Amino acid sequence: MENANETLFQEALTHFPGGVSSPVRAFRAVGGTPKFFRKAWGARFEDEEGRRYVDLCMSWGPLILGHAVPEVIAAAKEAMDEGLTFGAPSRRENILARRIKTMVPFVEKMRFVSSGTEAVMSALRAARGFTKRDRVIKFEGCYHGHSDGMLVKAGSGLATFGEPSSAGVPRGFADLTTVLPLDDLEALEQAFAKLGPELAAVIIEPIPANNGLLVQDLSFLNRLRELCTRNGTVLIFDEVISGFRVAPGGAAELFSITPDLVTYGKIIGGGMPVGLYGGRKDIMAVISPDGPVYQAGTLSGNPVAMAAGLATLEKLTPNLYRDLEHKGARWATAFEKIPGLHVPRVGSLLWPLFQPGVKRADRVESGAIAKFNHMHGLMLEQGIYLPPSGFEVAFLSAAHGDEELAHFERAVGMVGQELRKA
Ligand SMILES: *Cc1c(COP(=O)(O)O)cnc(C)c1O
């Protein structure tokens, strides 16, 4: 199957916008034809032409244990044999909820949904219903899924109103979202001074990992917590990536900061579509049927997804987190052998960038991204699959072993030489 990827992609282009089911998969940023994958195991996967890669994208985060982990597959299969969906309560929701509460004690009440986008959308609605306020703050460089109110960028100057960052988002939605820069205490103080009593919620990725890895100073997050408390504003941590990855209790545990609500996704489904929002029980009391805020889902709490999520969370031991931390350090060190490359890191999240010390989205230089795009193609030739955009973080998993690291180190050596020539 010499040109299998190209043939599949040409057909896909007739079916799907850009030939893909989610835009970054189209390889537009890095160029070339996206690979079509047919199977995966551990830290590796194989494309339709039989080429194998060490995967550093790992489906964008869910696969903290690796691809096709036998215990996760077995749990999903066992659930499948008992029926794919009931549209009624089932015991696996209780079991997964219990497990989540032991890992994240501040989640007093929760609801399962089917994606991170849905979790965020619902958490914002809960916050608005609870506070009876409309305005929310988000930060530039944080991604919260693709609901209308979150597809917003900063307005000009010190404008209070955001502007749609996507066509199709009504200005009215964007008007209710104020967008602030990360790593800017003064902008945060000013926004609260001006808008405090109107603010239903502030949402942030406590470890921003969707525009590179923009690790914030602890003082910034602590001050945000204080300002929210003082103003009766609901603080929402969007831990769809960081949850269960950087620590059992996610960034909230790592930083010892408790949000009012939290959103999860990715890891809690173990590779199946799941999201969750939850937190303070007085806030969650507004959710239907207990309260007036409507939120529902045909496949919410799906038994197969619950089983895959539970099997995943059960394997997240203290040892596993120590192992991921150790791996993260070794892979980042190996990566930095490429001249000019910096790899900021939190645990198993790594961001390769040809530029040091970036903490906010607007500081990323286009030259650094152009260099990444070049490196991406060279790494692919060496059998290393990086996320196909310089604004995405790389993910390690428990399945990234010494063999994969050795392969990666060889690739880094070759690619480093090529880049020196360029
Ligand atoms: C992936 C992601 C989302 C959206 O989740 P989907 O399941 O893709 O809808 C929301 N927030 C963060 C922080 C994410 O990384």
Side-chain angles (χ1 to χ4, degrees), residues 67-385:
H67 286 284
V69 174
E71 292 90 333
V72 178
I73 302 283
K77 279 185 177 162
E78 190 187 313
M80 267 184 204
D81 285 339
E82 295 170 0
L84 293 180
T85 172
F86 305 130
S90 67
R91 72 180 184 285
R92 289 191 175 88
E93 294 160 67
N94 283 2
I95 304 170
L96 183 54
R98 218 186 292 141
R99 173 78 197 181
I100 287 166
K101 282 185 173 177
T102 63
M103 297 176 80
V104 204
F106 70 80
V107 177
E108 297 170 337
K109 266 227 171 125
M110 68 193 92
R111 181 163 279 170
F112 289 113
V113 292
S114 296
S115 71
T117 294
E118 240 187 295
V120 166
M121 195 178 78
S122 309
L124 288 169
R125 191 179 302 139
R128 284 170 163 148
F130 178 74
T131 57
K132 302 189 171 66
R133 303 172 182 175
D134 290 338
R135 177 159 300 285
V136 301
I137 284 179
K138 79 178 280 286
F139 294 90
E140 189 134 31
C142 289
Y143 177 68
H144 303 293
H146 61 91
S147 63
D148 285 324
M150 292 290 100
L151 291 182
V152 175
K153 60 186 180 197
S156 51
L158 290 174
T160 298
F161 306 136
E163 286 178 13
S165 63
S166 160
V169 173
R171 178 159 295 280
F173 283 87
D175 278 353
L176 293 175
T177 307
T178 298
V179 182
L180 298 180
L182 286 165
D183 192 41
D184 189 339
L185 262 179
E186 209 179 294
L188 185 65
E189 300 284 354
Q190 279 174 9
F192 266 93
K194 191 166 160 195
L195 304 169
E198 289 175 52
L199 287 173
V202 175
I203 185 163
I204 188 168
E205 286 181 83
I207 299 175
N210 276 288
N211 196 293
L213 190 65
L214 305 172
V215 183
Q216 299 297 293
D217 294 340
L218 201 49
S219 57
F220 184 76
L221 293 172
N222 275 321
R223 183 63 182 149
L224 176 59
R225 174 66 278 183
E226 268 173 28
L227 287 167
C228 285
T229 303
R230 199 164 299 170
N231 288 272
T233 298
V234 176
L235 176 60
I236 306 173
F237 274 4
D238 182 352
E239 297 225 46
V240 171
I241 282 185
S242 55
F244 306 97
R245 177 167 285 276
V246 299
E253 177 182 330
L254 198 66
F255 299 151
S256 301
I257 300 176
T258 304
D260 301 302
L261 291 179
V262 65
T263 55
Y264 297 121
K266 299 189 172 121
I267 287 174
I268 55 161
M272 296 291 290
V274 184
L276 175 152
Y277 68 104
R280 270 169 52 186
K281 60 176 188 272
D282 59 329
I283 301 178
M284 292 302 285
V286 301
I287 301 298
S288 178
D290 286 349
V293 173
Y294 190 70
Q295 185 273 312
T298 302
L299 295 178
S300 293
N302 175 267
V304 182
M306 297 292 105
L310 182 63
T312 299
L313 295 197
E314 277 176 342
K315 299 204 77 171
L316 301 181
T317 59
N319 262 338
L320 180 129
Y321 288 103
R322 268 193 294 276
D323 178 52
L324 283 177
E325 171 61 29
H326 180 64
K327 277 182 182 151
R330 289 178 73 195
W331 284 69
T333 303
F335 219 164
E336 285 182 336
K337 298 265 157 59
I338 290 181
L341 190 66
H342 300 263
V343 186
R345 176 182 77 86
V346 179
S348 53
L349 298 170
L350 282 67
W351 184 33
L353 185 70
F354 289 93
Q355 189 188 332
V358 179
K359 282 190 197 172
R360 45 187 275 185
D362 56 353
R363 298 288 194 264
V364 181
E365 291 163 7
S366 59
I369 296 299
K371 269 193 182 169
F372 172 90
N373 294 342
H374 185 196
M375 175 178 77
H376 183 273
L378 296 171
M379 290 294 261
L380 207 57
E381 284 170 21
Q382 298 298 324
I384 303 293
Y385 189 94

Side-chain angles (χ1 to χ4, degrees), residues 6-19:
E6 188 57 42
T7 306
L8 284 165
F9 188 51
Q10 288 307 318
E11 183 191 335
L13 284 168
T14 71
H15 301 312
F16 315 118

